[in-house]
Amino acid sequence: MRFAVTRACGGGGGRARAGALYIGGSTTAPIETPSLLISTRKGLPNFVSRDHLAALPTPDSLLLHVSPLHFLDCPSSKTISNIGGLHQMLGLHEHFFVAAPRDSLESLPESDGTNKLGASFETPCGRRLIKPSAYVEKIASLKPNLWASIADEVPAWVSGKRNKTSIDRTLRWLDECLALDPAGGKTMLGVVVGGSNIEERKHCAIEVATRNVSGFWIGGFGLGENVEERPALLNAVTDNLPEEKARFISGLSLPEEVLQGVASGIDLFDSTYIYHLTLGGFALIFPFEILDHNNLDFQLDDTVGDRTKINLRATIYRKDISPIVANCSCFTCQNHTRAYINHLLNVHEMLAHILLEIHNTHHYLGFFRAMREAIKGGKFDLFRRTFVESRRIHLTSAVLCS
Amino acid sequence: FLKMALKFEVLGKFNRARAARLALPHFVCQTPLFMPVGTQGTIKGLTNNQLEEIGCQIILGNTYHLALRPGAELVDDLGGLHKFMNWKRALLTDSGGFQMVSLLHLADITEQGVTFQSPVDAKPMLLTPEESIQIQNKIGADIIMALDDVVKTTITGPRIEEAMYRTVRWIDRCIAAHKRPDEQNLFGIVQGGLDPVLRDICVRGLVDRNLPGYAIGGLSGGEDKDSFWRVVAQCTAALPEDKPRYVMGVGYPLDIVVCSALGADMYDCVYPTRTARFGTALIPEGLLKLKNRAMANDERPIDPTCLCMVCRNYTRAYLHCVVTKDPMGSQLVSYHNLSYMMRLSKDLHTSIVKGQFPEFVQGFLRVQFPKGDIPEWVCNAMEVAGIDISTCCAP
Ligand SMILES: [Zn+2]
Ligand SMILES: [Zn+2]
């Protein structure tokens, strides 16, 4: 993997940056950052099958997050190896898999169960303790394009002592993973933890930066920390990481959170936002080409949802024969109406979730593209302010109206 | 004289079996064909372009479910079911009667129609033949079904006779109520239980009405297989050559092969998609239970001879991990199972057209029954169909 910052100082106090991630060898186009990692269940999106995944914009949609914990029970590492790894097993030869244990959905760090031997996770198969050796073995069979070392992620409210232990373990496991990795860290991302303590975050980042890894995975966010203190924590990490290596993060999901992360110099986001929206029957509608068109006209005819997303379960969509978003080029908007999706949700049909996940993924990828354009144009701060403001205005007016 | 909105052209025959071209208002189909059941305006877990990709020609919608949600008025207001679900090919709707009788305990059938308790507010409701047709006219499918008096095949006695005569009486009310005969084809349903005399009266009664097509109803309800195929054989022999024949509720691949050999053209069943959701895949050998432990490390596709998207990309080992657990599991296995049914339909059609139907049936049976233990009823049916399967049977 190779990463290059293509435009720095795009905003965010000089931290926001646009970059290019070269994963697939020299012949393939780079993934431009900031970018989204599409969340998966056992390597495939929750509802979108490979044919519809292929129809999403590329290379934007090529990055998938995968949790090796999803394969603890089956298939066996040997079988996965025989099949040829993730790309073969999932029929996604052109895609790039980034492996990290936590999936923010159903495999969550369980810090009480974590001990000096390994990290504990709450998984659909119960609580499981993963040792670095077993983890690296699983990684060897899965052959992801990139993988994060194993970490002791703790929630924001743990004691200072527990937080220090988490850093020590995370660094030790990083060294163990590096020692066990036959590729010598070429595809490895070092995990930075440190909880809600700025000094510890800084210390951990400095330590991880000394290791021979090809990028960084920032852990421990989205685990109960105060949103107000996030920028300082994020900056403490990114200010101490080398410029020329990519920074991944999990736990920042909402558009505002992502914007905050980008402002702090994060490049890649593992987000569960789309999954939660989709399950709830929500469709994203917010405009993101807000600078091009100078168009802040959020769909004002809309009285359901917060004007950034609509809940298609609402009865007002019963006879609405318009697509979710009028000029959206996704499969869903090209083929189906709000009324049809409303019906599918009412009768609990899986197609509702398939269609929503296609649209929401497409739409969120568009949001990331707009962020990149803004950074490249040196207008990220304006973009962020405009976006957040217009969302806030509409959220406030929605509250006032109701 | 009833207008017709279809053209049925037999392209090839082998004894009773026939391959035809069925031109419906929205699509020109090739028979024999299998119709996946899209109860609520969707085939569970598949998108429209995937259905087209696997060769699906016609989808069945359930009038009872669609009338409940989203409602026939709404479907009509939004331009009919084709437009509502954006399905460009053919559609068929059932009458709603069967669903009521089988889903609602309190359904009661009188000369007026089917009385039932509304699942919404528990008020007594009545579905008359006129209403069934009215609703189906609003939904707008290429083929609509007459309301029949449905009885369980396992019931015997005068109720069967009553139901058969009532079905024939109701057909006239359906015909009279049908407002769109030049856009929608009304099929009559042959009833009469397992009694050849009653079936004969019913067939003749319906054929007199010169309908665009005919269905054989009241089967697949738990009757023994020998009775099943004999009723099919009797009805197909008596129904007109130049009209499509639809055996309702049939979906096991073996049953489809047998019925096609006996001269039937159309089938529908929830089985391929339902069984997929429980982790069972249809393969030429029969069934593959993907939940089975042996699958956990099986690196082969579901069916190495299948060229579908799922078999080209996924192993049994991977599917073993996702079936019955993740939505993707049922999506992928449903996709394969329907691909299998579409391939079966196509193979039946092609082999009849090419004059190789007996070879196809023999090949099919040899793979399904490698030990030659072909069920007695299949042997009996094939004898009537004039297909020699002696080489497939154990000595
Ligand atoms: Zn869309
Ligand atoms: Zn297949």
Side-chain angles (χ1 to χ4, degrees):
Chain A
M1 190 250 292
R2 197 163 62 77
F3 179 75
V5 175
T6 52
R7 168 77 202 233
C9 308
R15 291 189 182 85
R17 58 205 216 154
L21 187 68
Y22 299 83
I23 315 186
S26 50
T27 51
T28 47
I31 306 271
E32 288 191 59
T33 64
S35 191
L36 173 73
L37 299 183
I38 293 173
S39 74
T40 70
R41 191 180 293 257
K42 292 167 192 161
L44 292 178
N46 288 284
F47 301 101
V48 180
S49 52
R50 69 185 298 284
D51 44 344
H52 285 293
L53 184 61
L56 289 170
T58 52
D60 309 39
S61 64
L62 291 180
L63 278 181
L64 303 175
H65 168 261
V66 63
S67 167
L69 302 182
H70 294 182
F71 301 101
L72 280 185
D73 290 333
C74 69
S76 68
S77 295
K78 186 171 172 288
T79 301
I80 297 173
S81 287
N82 289 348
I83 293 168
L86 286 167
H87 298 82
Q88 291 292 331
M89 184 166 72
L90 303 165
L92 298 174
H93 309 276
E94 312 298 320
H95 286 73
F96 305 116
F97 288 98
V98 184
R102 168 182 162 192
D103 68 4
S104 304
L105 285 177
E106 48 179 37
S107 298
L108 296 163
E110 177 41 66
S111 63
D112 291 342
T114 296
N115 59 36
K116 60 180 180 184
L117 296 175
S120 175
F121 289 89
E122 210 63 70
T123 78
C125 319
R127 190 183 281 196
R128 305 290 287 262
L129 187 85
I130 318 300
K131 296 175 189 172
S133 56
Y135 180 68
V136 174
E137 189 202 301
K138 207 42 141 182
I139 292 291
S141 68
L142 292 168
K143 299 187 189 77
N145 298 87
L146 294 171
W147 58 287
S149 60
I150 204 157
D152 178 12
E153 287 188 79
V154 293
W157 55 80
V158 297
S159 68
K161 188 167 166 250
R162 179 69 183 86
N163 194 26
K164 272 190 197 315
T165 310
S166 127
I167 296 171
D168 293 344
R169 282 179 189 156
T170 302
L171 290 171
R172 187 157 47 80
W173 293 339
L174 169 57
D175 292 332
E176 280 182 49
C177 285
L178 267 170
L180 291 164
D181 179 20
K186 275 206 181 69
T187 54
M188 244 184 94
L189 306 170
V191 182
V192 179
V193 291
S196 289
N197 184 311
I198 290 181
E199 283 310 309
E200 299 292 3
R201 280 278 169 193
K202 187 177 158 190
H203 158 67
C204 190
I206 291 170
E207 277 297 324
V208 175
T210 64
R211 267 64 172 186
N212 186 26
V213 289
S214 45
F216 306 96
W217 184 283
I218 301 166
F221 281 93
L223 296 175
E225 75 277 10
N226 187 337
V227 180
E228 305 295 310
E229 53 186 19
R230 252 191 211 159
L233 290 167
L234 290 169
N235 292 344
V237 175
T238 52
D239 287 349
N240 290 288
L241 294 176
E243 285 282 316
E244 70 282 5
K245 289 184 179 178
R247 301 145 182 182
F248 293 71
I249 198 164
S250 64
L252 306 188
S253 247
L254 298 169
E256 284 85 352
E257 294 179 298
V258 169
L259 285 164
Q260 193 178 64
V262 170
S264 291
I266 312 278
D267 308 302
L268 295 123
F269 295 80
D270 165 33
S271 167
T272 54
Y273 185 47
I274 291 163
Y275 178 70
H276 290 298
L277 287 173
T278 298
L279 273 199
F282 287 96
L284 289 176
I285 56 158
F286 60 73
F288 41 73
E289 280 160 1
I290 46 183
L291 298 180
D292 289 5
H293 304 162
N294 200 18
N295 168 19
L296 302 179
D297 213 16
F298 284 62
Q299 287 178 270
L300 291 169
D301 57 319
D302 230 282
T303 52
V304 174
D306 57 14
R307 294 166 205 259
T308 68
K309 57 182 189 291
I310 52 174
N311 190 338
L312 285 169
R313 284 185 211 279
T315 39
I316 58 158
Y317 302 116
R318 242 173 74 80
K319 290 190 174 188
D320 188 341
I321 52 165
S322 53
I324 296 170
V325 171
N327 55 357
C328 181
S329 61
C330 85
F331 172 83
T332 304
C333 294
Q334 291 295 308
N335 289 283
H336 296 291
T337 61
R338 294 174 173 191
Y340 183 55
I341 300 170
N342 169 265
H343 161 69
L344 294 173
L345 286 166
N346 283 336
V347 296
H348 310 286
E349 281 286 353
M350 198 197 301
L351 185 59
H353 295 135
I354 298 174
L355 298 178
L356 282 174
E357 196 174 72
I358 290 172
H359 169 78
N360 286 333
T361 307
H362 185 98
H363 199 87
Y364 215 31
L365 290 172
F367 169 69
F368 276 85
R369 189 180 59 242
M371 268 193 303
R372 290 195 297 269
E373 296 307 319
I375 296 170
K376 285 186 209 164
K379 290 177 183 166
F380 176 73
D381 284 335
L382 177 65
F383 178 88
R384 184 184 175 196
R385 209 167 46 238
T386 314
F387 188 88
V388 172
E389 272 305 303
S390 46
R391 287 249 295 189
R392 189 176 301 150
I393 289 164
H394 290 301
L395 285 169
T396 320
S397 66
V399 170
L400 291 175
C401 293
S402 61
Chain B
F1 180 76
L2 193 68
K3 276 191 257 176
M4 276 178 214
L6 64 78
K7 236 181 97 191
F8 185 77
E9 188 188 344
V10 176
L11 303 177
K13 284 199 68 166
F14 184 88
N15 291 343
R16 292 162 152 246
R18 63 239 205 108
R21 191 174 166 278
L22 170 63
L24 293 168
H26 289 85
F27 197 69
V28 179
C29 310
Q30 298 200 312
T31 70
L33 63 78
F34 175 78
M35 301 181 277
V37 181
T39 299
Q40 325 227 50
T42 159
I43 304 289
K44 288 191 190 305
L46 270 78
T47 56
N48 286 352
N49 64 328
Q50 291 177 329
L51 288 163
E52 287 189 12
E53 200 173 270
I54 64 172
C56 176
Q57 313 183 72
I58 173 166
I59 290 175
L60 185 147
N62 288 124
T63 292
Y64 168 77
H65 287 97
L66 292 167
L68 272 181
R69 288 180 304 189
E73 295 296 334
L74 186 135
V75 174
D76 193 20
D77 285 354
L78 303 189
L81 186 59
H82 278 97
K83 212 170 161 204
F84 185 61
M85 60 187 284
N86 191 29
W87 175 245
K88 309 257 185 333
R89 298 187 177 181
L91 284 170
L92 177 149
T93 46
D94 63 4
S95 68
F98 177 76
Q99 301 275 323
M100 286 178 189
V101 174
S102 58
L103 295 178
L104 305 172
H105 298 296
L106 296 163
D108 183 34
I109 300 174
T110 63
E111 192 56 32
Q112 245 190 313
V114 185
T115 345
F116 63 101
Q117 207 179 25
S118 159
V120 179
D121 53 14
K123 279 188 193 137
M125 310 260 291
L126 176 71
L127 180 78
T128 61
E130 290 79 9
E131 259 169 357
S132 169
I133 298 302
Q134 217 173 62
I135 296 170
Q136 294 188 75
N137 279 164
K138 284 183 178 145
I139 295 172
D142 300 74
I143 297 173
I144 63 177
M145 301 303 297
L147 186 70
D148 54 348
D149 184 351
V150 187
V151 276
K152 283 209 178 84
T153 40
T154 43
I155 287 178
T156 49
R159 177 70 185 97
I160 298 283
E161 191 178 344
E162 181 194 43
M164 184 279 288
Y165 280 114
R166 184 169 287 148
T167 297
V168 178
R169 286 195 297 275
W170 281 1
I171 192 69
D172 292 320
R173 290 170 59 186
C174 290
I175 293 169
H178 187 16
K179 293 285 181 295
R180 301 173 64 184
D182 35 13
E183 296 156 290
Q184 294 183 284
N185 298 286
L186 174 66
F187 279 30
I189 304 172
V190 181
Q191 289 291 352
L194 305 178
D195 184 334
V197 177
L198 297 181
R199 286 278 176 182
D200 184 56
I201 296 170
C202 197
V203 169
R204 282 192 283 126
L206 294 178
V207 171
D208 279 348
R209 269 76 177 182
N210 192 25
L211 295 159
Y214 301 92
I216 303 166
L219 294 174
S220 292
E223 73 283 354
D224 65 281
K225 285 290 185 187
D226 222 53
S227 310
F228 162 76
W229 79 258
R230 282 179 205 282
V231 171
V232 173
Q234 184 199 346
C235 295
T236 50
L239 287 167
E241 271 294 305
D242 58 346
K243 302 277 174 71
R245 305 157 182 168
Y246 160 31
V247 187
M248 301 174 85
V250 161
Y252 295 125
L254 179 62
D255 294 3
I256 290 180
V257 171
V258 171
C259 290
S260 299
L262 294 169
D265 311 300
M266 301 166 68
Y267 313 93
D268 82 281
C269 194
V270 293
Y271 176 71
T273 41
R274 179 171 290 168
T275 205
R277 294 197 295 280
F278 294 113
T280 301
L282 303 176
I283 55 172
E285 292 79 13
L287 301 177
L288 187 73
K289 299 213 189 301
L290 289 159
K291 278 318 289 173
N292 198 308
R293 263 164 177 270
M295 298 297 134
N297 295 305
D298 194 328
E299 292 152 27
R300 289 172 292 173
I302 292 176
D303 171 11
T305 69
C306 178
L307 297 175
C308 87
M309 180 260 284
V310 177
C311 292
R312 276 188 283 111
N313 289 286
Y314 299 100
T315 55
R316 296 172 179 186
Y318 181 72
L319 295 166
H320 171 80
C321 301
V322 291
V323 289
T324 72
K325 285 194 197 122
D326 302 326
M328 192 53 74
S330 61
Q331 280 186 39
L332 294 176
V333 185
S334 295
Y335 187 102
H336 163 80
N337 281 1
L338 289 181
S339 300
Y340 176 84
M341 299 306 291
M342 296 308 143
R343 183 164 64 136
L344 178 66
S345 309
K346 201 172 171 206
D347 287 348
L348 287 165
H349 178 88
T350 316
S351 64
I352 296 168
V353 170
K354 287 188 175 164
Q356 296 162 349
F357 186 58
E359 291 81 359
F360 173 77
V361 174
Q362 288 154 9
F364 177 87
L365 292 174
R366 249 182 234 121
V367 179
Q368 288 240 329
F369 305 99
K371 291 185 208 130
D373 51 345
I374 295 167
E376 188 67 31
W377 72 271
V378 177
C379 299
N380 295 341
M382 287 305 167
E383 206 178 311
V384 169
I387 292 167
D388 180 11
I389 57 163
S390 55
T391 56
C392 313
C393 296

